[in-house]
Amino acid sequence: MGVRGKETLVASTGTAETTRRDFLYIATGAMGAVGAAAMVWPFISQLQPDASVLAMSSTEVDLGQIQEGQIVTVKWRGKPVFVWNRTAKDIEEARAVQLGQLLDPVARNANLPADAPATDANRAAKDQEKWLVVIGICTHLGCVPIGHMGEYDGWFCPCHGSEYDSAGRVRRGPAPENLAIPPYHFVSDTKISIG
Amino acid sequence: MSGHATFEPKNPALKWFESRLPLVGLIHSSFVAYPTPRNLNYWWTFGGILSLMLACQIVSGVVLVMHYTPHVTLAFDSVEHIMRDVSYGWLIRYIHSNGASMFFIAVYIHMFRGLYYGSYKAPREVLWILGCIIYLLMMATAFMGYVLPWGQMSFWGATVITNLFSAFPVVGPTIVEWLWGGFAVDNPTLNRFFSLHYLLPFMIAGVVVLHIWALHVVGQNNPTGVDPKTPKDTVAFTPYATIKDSLGMVVFLIFFAWFLFYIPNYLGHADNYIPANPLVTPAHIVPEWYYLPFYAMLRAIPSKLGGVLTMFSAIIVLFFVPWLDTSKVRSGVYRPLFKQFFWIWVAVCIGLGWLGSKPAEGGYIVAGRILTFWYFAHFLIILPLLGLFEKPKAVPASITEAVLGKKGSAPASVGAQAPQTKG
């Protein structure tokens, strides 16, 4: 009770200058804010992909079972990935396209620099041009396009009519970008590892 | 309680809102201007601590549900998944499991405080009964929560507790099958417990609102048990109670953190890290510590139905304390005999808790019977008789007099009218 009486005296002086008490208020408040923020972080962090999700971040595909002309869909990180064993005609068509004709002139290939041009060579697998590996998600709003469909012999998206050519490049909107190419590498001549 | 009149917003937008929904005014009158007795001690901070623990359990529980799977084949693994895979999952699960124990530590202190200072007496009977209802809901919630990890203790705890209802003649077995949704504790049991474990905390929150409402209608009790008579006897809730409660919470959280970061499994049972096996009961099965006194009573009575009824009565008797205590003096501070019997009763409760953790054999059972008898005698014999025979000490005329003595009323008036120019 003695303390309370003293506080009353301090308070009733009504001075505008900074007091020890002001300093203690701010220091205590700041410490409390730091503690609260430290406590909030785990509750935000827990929403991130957990260790079991991250552990499934690579997928292997056996190319030996994919016939010429066939598109196989595999799941990588919960997303569809198209692996296409292209015919000579498909490759020919893709090569014939000039960069100026493309809606998106960038390769969108995670294995190449970000500014690589969207030539067929930059889109197809390195040194094995018949293989095209793309994430099967339309760059418009996330639907899965249908293979061997549309005017450009690639994919046609059933949701909003975007069309992709035989190198997975967008040729008709509303999709803004080429189908993305995931990071992958050849484990052997007939096997790739995505991720 | 006339706080409404004191809140007059200057901001035009707030004024507009306030005239349509006086929400800020309600908060102001309840938690800012609300007059609290000036002599509240730290035992009175446990109400705030309990509100904090309820919020802590709800927040951590909602997060755990994001990663938990309520199915007999997946529940145990999903809890391990939380512990190993989920970012900070170990922390959030330990907060929730240790938080339950902290919640009970706080509620037991809160209840002992109410019993010592006579906080249940008129006009606070409804306030007290609402508190007893919260305690019952807490026990049900904690029990069902303990089942969810689906370890050995979860499964056998659920089996034993649900089997208590089989003690009732004729309808017992039917009730138990109805509780289980089958012929044994199994997936339907787990699913309904999960559903109810999520529901009950919000019911607790609802009863807490009633509890605080009732508190604000009748006003807080205080260590003297004398009602505030003049403005000198009270101080504003903010800053006095707010800061005192905050300090109490911080100290309590340090205690909590010690368990959380250094001995997170101290209050649990190692057997619960073994997946539930309906074919093998663990050799030594005991409930969580907060049920142990009741568990000791259950085992002290040599009759199935008698044991169950005794256990339930131990809680039901609390509802009648306002009428069992016949003393006109509210606070135990001025009751020399009551004070001694109160501490004996506290020791009896702790003793029963200790006995509950021991095997049910020999001397433990005899001691359990003596203490169980004393537990009930305290309420049914001692409290009613004390009011008739005890000669209480002189009760101070006012809170201010109790705090400052008879001569001290002059400086007190300055303190009570302290302008809140700071903070």
Side-chain angles (χ1 to χ4, degrees):
Chain A
M1 293 309 126
V3 173
R4 186 168 296 153
K6 195 177 168 190
E7 182 191 347
T8 308
L9 289 175
V10 172
S12 58
T13 55
T15 51
E17 66 200 60
T18 312
T19 61
R20 268 165 67 91
R21 187 164 290 267
D22 291 329
F23 173 77
L24 287 172
Y25 276 142
I26 292 167
T28 310
M31 198 62 210
V34 169
M39 207 53 239
V40 166
W41 173 244
F43 286 86
I44 296 169
S45 176
Q46 56 86 19
L47 291 166
Q48 297 184 90
D50 63 43
S52 67
V53 172
L54 296 177
M56 292 191 296
S57 59
S58 75
T59 301
E60 289 199 345
V61 185
D62 182 2
L63 302 179
Q65 301 187 357
I66 305 172
Q67 291 170 1
E68 189 171 297
Q70 190 183 10
I71 302 176
V72 163
T73 307
V74 296
K75 206 166 149 192
W76 171 67
R77 285 188 169 177
K79 305 177 206 187
V81 170
F82 298 143
V83 182
W84 187 2
N85 186 350
R86 298 188 296 174
T87 62
K89 176 176 163 282
D90 295 325
I91 299 170
E92 221 34 64
E93 277 179 13
R95 278 184 181 166
V97 178
Q98 299 299 309
L99 280 180
Q101 292 173 266
L102 296 173
L103 291 175
D104 177 18
V106 183
R108 308 285 170 198
N109 186 339
N111 309 288
L112 294 177
D115 57 351
T119 59
D120 185 62
N122 281 346
R123 297 280 302 169
K126 193 165 179 283
D127 302 328
Q128 298 216 42
E129 290 199 320
K130 63 176 184 170
W131 295 108
L132 180 72
V133 181
V134 292
I135 295 175
I137 292 178
C138 179
T139 56
H140 181 220
L141 290 172
C143 298
V144 179
I146 299 164
H148 301 302
M149 235 181 119
E151 257 179 65
Y152 301 92
D153 291 338
W155 284 273
F156 169 80
C157 181
C159 291
H160 304 94
S162 297
E163 292 185 35
Y164 300 88
D165 66 14
S166 55
R169 297 172 295 199
V170 63
R171 302 299 296 277
R172 179 175 290 167
E177 290 179 7
N178 301 328
L179 290 177
I181 295 173
Y184 68 94
H185 62 275
F186 281 85
V187 182
S188 67
D189 277 354
T190 57
K191 190 176 268 187
I192 57 166
S193 170
I194 305 169
Chain B
M1 278 160 276
S2 56
H4 257 108
T6 65
F7 181 71
E8 279 156 19
K10 301 249 171 1
N11 182 311
L14 191 56
K15 208 177 243 174
W16 179 90
F17 183 79
E18 197 65 10
S19 62
R20 283 152 182 83
L21 182 68
L23 183 64
V24 183
L26 178 69
I27 291 168
H28 184 270
S29 65
S30 305
F31 301 107
V32 179
Y34 181 73
T36 65
R38 60 183 292 170
N39 60 336
L40 295 186
N41 57 35
Y42 275 102
W43 300 116
W44 261 265
T45 61
F46 281 86
I49 289 168
L50 283 162
S51 309
L52 175 71
M53 286 316 301
L54 178 61
C56 165
Q57 291 302 88
I58 288 179
V59 170
S60 58
V62 165
V63 166
L64 287 175
V65 171
M66 295 180 189
H67 305 283
Y68 170 78
T69 313
H71 190 276
V72 288
T73 57
L74 301 167
F76 187 89
D77 288 346
S78 74
V79 171
E80 285 307 304
H81 161 73
I82 290 168
M83 295 300 287
R84 292 154 194 256
D85 294 342
V86 175
S87 181
Y88 291 102
W90 59 273
L91 177 65
I92 294 161
R93 174 163 176 260
Y94 279 152
I95 287 175
H96 200 70
S97 60
N98 285 279
S101 282
M102 296 302 129
F103 206 157
F104 275 97
I105 288 172
V107 87
Y108 282 135
I109 293 173
H110 193 65
M111 290 164 76
F112 282 135
R113 190 269 291 154
L115 286 166
Y116 183 78
Y117 291 110
S119 299
Y120 47 85
K121 291 191 189 182
R124 298 189 181 82
E125 302 95 325
V126 171
L127 176 62
W128 172 260
I129 288 169
L130 287 167
C132 292
I133 291 169
I134 294 171
Y135 175 54
L136 270 181
L137 287 171
M138 277 175 65
M139 295 220 284
T141 309
F143 159 65
M144 288 191 272
Y146 194 59
V147 175
L148 302 184
W150 211 244
Q152 274 290 67
M153 290 308 235
S154 300
F155 183 90
W156 293 101
T159 302
V160 169
I161 300 295
T162 48
N163 262 316
L164 291 177
F165 294 92
S166 71
F168 294 107
V170 187
V171 291
T174 316
I175 291 176
V176 174
E177 280 183 10
W178 175 76
L179 287 173
W180 288 339
F183 304 106
V185 173
D186 209 332
N187 200 49
T189 327
L190 177 60
N191 280 183
R192 64 190 59 182
F193 279 14
F194 176 59
S195 169
L196 294 173
H197 184 70
Y198 207 118
L199 168 71
L200 288 186
F202 296 98
M203 292 179 64
I204 292 176
V207 185
V208 165
V209 169
L210 296 180
H211 192 65
I212 294 172
W213 184 13
L215 174 73
H216 284 205
V217 169
V218 296
Q220 281 166 294
N221 187 26
N222 66 82
T224 65
V226 179
D227 288 325
K229 287 169 181 152
T230 62
K232 278 194 286 184
D233 290 338
T234 60
V235 289
F237 192 93
T238 300
Y240 297 102
T242 330
I243 294 295
K244 193 160 188 155
D245 280 357
S246 303
L247 180 61
M249 287 179 199
V250 168
V251 172
F252 190 80
L253 286 176
I254 292 171
F255 177 72
F256 184 2
W258 174 51
F259 276 88
L260 184 54
F261 293 110
Y262 292 93
I263 44 172
N265 288 303
Y266 181 74
L267 296 167
H269 300 288
D271 273 356
N272 219 29
Y273 285 102
I274 301 168
N277 180 353
L279 306 180
V280 181
T281 306
H284 188 54
I285 177 160
V286 286
E288 291 293 86
W289 69 267
Y290 33 83
Y291 302 125
L292 286 175
F294 304 105
Y295 192 56
M297 292 181 196
L298 172 74
R299 300 189 305 180
I301 308 298
S303 134
K304 186 173 177 181
L305 183 59
V308 172
L309 290 178
T310 303
M311 202 177 74
F312 287 133
S313 306
I315 297 163
I316 291 166
V317 75
L318 293 173
F319 285 76
F320 295 96
V321 170
W323 297 278
L324 290 169
D325 184 349
T326 51
S327 174
K328 296 274 184 290
V329 176
R330 197 179 276 148
S331 170
V333 173
Y334 307 103
R335 301 181 59 192
L337 284 177
F338 168 84
K339 207 185 273 186
Q340 294 172 33
F341 281 111
F342 171 81
W343 288 112
I344 292 171
W345 180 75
V346 171
V348 164
C349 291
I350 294 170
L352 280 168
W354 178 73
L355 287 170
S357 71
K358 295 287 160 194
E361 57 194 27
Y364 294 130
I365 293 186
V366 178
R369 283 177 192 160
I370 295 167
L371 295 190
T372 302
F373 172 79
W374 191 276
Y375 178 95
F376 285 98
H378 179 82
F379 292 116
L380 300 175
I381 301 169
I382 296 169
L383 279 188
L385 291 182
L386 269 185
L388 303 177
F389 296 110
E390 185 183 42
K391 189 176 176 331
K393 290 197 275 186
V395 175
S398 72
I399 293 172
T400 306
E401 188 192 297
V403 173
L404 299 171
K406 279 185 176 126
K407 59 186 168 66
S409 28
S413 65
V414 179
Q417 290 155 15
Q420 290 159 42
T421 52
K422 290 283 172 188

